[in-house]
């Protein structure tokens, strides 16, 4: 809610969250990683989208243009993943994040003459890319048999104590 408001969503933050995640508000509240998208939820989103067109229009007019570009890119990636039936994969979003970080860092470096500032930007870029790589590794581990076993074991240990 706080970050949605900062981006200009105002009181439309639930709609903004739904647009960002392409999930229903119930799923957003429950946690979008808790359950995969069902055919029912997908149909609910498609059916209700038309009812919210005035609010969607207001929201799109209030958010920064850069966010609008990210929303469109997000939508295109979802469309590609849907066509390829790889909706659960986060790889395209992770790759988009990497490209955004690289582009932003390149732009920031081009705007400064200070070697110190350029080194700082390069270090920040490397750190951000490392964080994405670490998160991708975590997602792969979480989706593996070993990851599922570890999660089940930790859950069992938690309930035993």
């Amino acid at each position: 809610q706080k970050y949605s408001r900062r981006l200009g969503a105002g009181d439309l933050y639930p709609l903004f969250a739904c647009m960002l995640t392409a999930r229903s508000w119930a799923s957003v509240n429950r946690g979008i990683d808790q359950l995969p998208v069902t055919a029912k939820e997908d149909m609910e989103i498609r059916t209700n989208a038309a009812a919210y067109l005035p609010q969607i229009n207001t929201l799109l007019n209030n958010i920064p243009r850069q966010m609008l570009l990210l929303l469109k890119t997000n939508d295109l990636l979802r469309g590609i993943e849907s066509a390829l039936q790889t909706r659960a994969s986060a790889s395209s979003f992770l790759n988009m994040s990497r490209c955004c970080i690289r582009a932003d860092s390149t732009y920031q470096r081009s705007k400064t003459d200070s070697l110190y500032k350029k080194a700082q930007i390069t270090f920040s870029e490397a750190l951000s890319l490392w964080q994405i790589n670490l998160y991708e590794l975590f997602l792969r581990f979480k989706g593996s048999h070993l990851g599922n076993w570890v999660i089940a074991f930790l859950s069992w240990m938690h309930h035993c104590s």
Side-chain angles (χ1 to χ4, degrees):
Q1 180 179 351
K2 176 173 90 175
Y3 297 109
S4 293
R5 288 184 190 278
R6 283 186 185 174
L7 287 169
D11 291 333
L12 296 174
Y13 68 89
L15 179 61
F16 188 57
C18 293
M19 289 170 62
L20 282 175
T21 60
R23 300 293 301 265
S24 67
W25 181 239
S27 292
V28 170
N29 280 324
R30 194 171 38 242
I32 59 172
D33 60 340
Q34 299 302 312
L35 292 171
V37 179
T38 62
K40 180 183 175 198
E41 182 183 7
D42 209 28
M43 185 55 71
E44 176 188 338
I45 292 167
R46 292 175 196 272
T47 306
N48 291 337
Y52 289 101
L53 279 177
Q55 291 91 336
I56 291 171
N57 189 44
T58 300
L59 180 60
L60 293 176
N61 281 322
N62 290 339
I63 61 174
R65 299 298 104 195
Q66 296 88 340
M67 190 68 205
L68 195 57
L69 178 61
L70 286 175
L71 283 172
K72 186 59 187 167
T73 305
N74 204 9
D75 184 48
L76 290 170
L77 287 172
R78 274 202 198 95
I80 291 168
E81 288 184 342
S82 177
L84 297 175
Q85 297 179 342
T86 59
R87 185 167 181 159
S89 170
S91 63
S92 59
F93 297 103
L94 293 172
N95 287 329
M96 181 184 72
S97 298
R98 286 184 186 103
C99 288
C100 289
I101 288 167
R102 287 185 187 115
D104 183 54
S105 297
T106 300
Y107 175 75
Q108 286 182 33
R109 276 190 298 270
S110 74
K111 293 295 179 190
T112 186
D113 292 327
S114 165
L115 286 177
Y116 175 76
K117 185 70 175 165
K118 285 183 181 190
Q120 199 175 26
I121 293 165
T122 300
F123 178 74
S124 177
E125 175 187 12
L127 182 62
S128 295
L129 292 172
W130 181 79
Q131 288 173 322
I132 291 173
N133 290 338
L134 190 62
Y135 182 65
E136 187 172 33
L137 183 65
F138 166 74
L139 289 177
R140 287 177 192 242
F141 177 74
K142 185 178 155 194
S144 71
H145 292 297
L146 177 62
N148 288 332
W149 183 85
V150 169
I151 290 168
F153 178 73
L154 292 173
S155 177
W156 176 77
M157 291 291 290
H158 177 73
H159 291 301
C160 288
S161 57

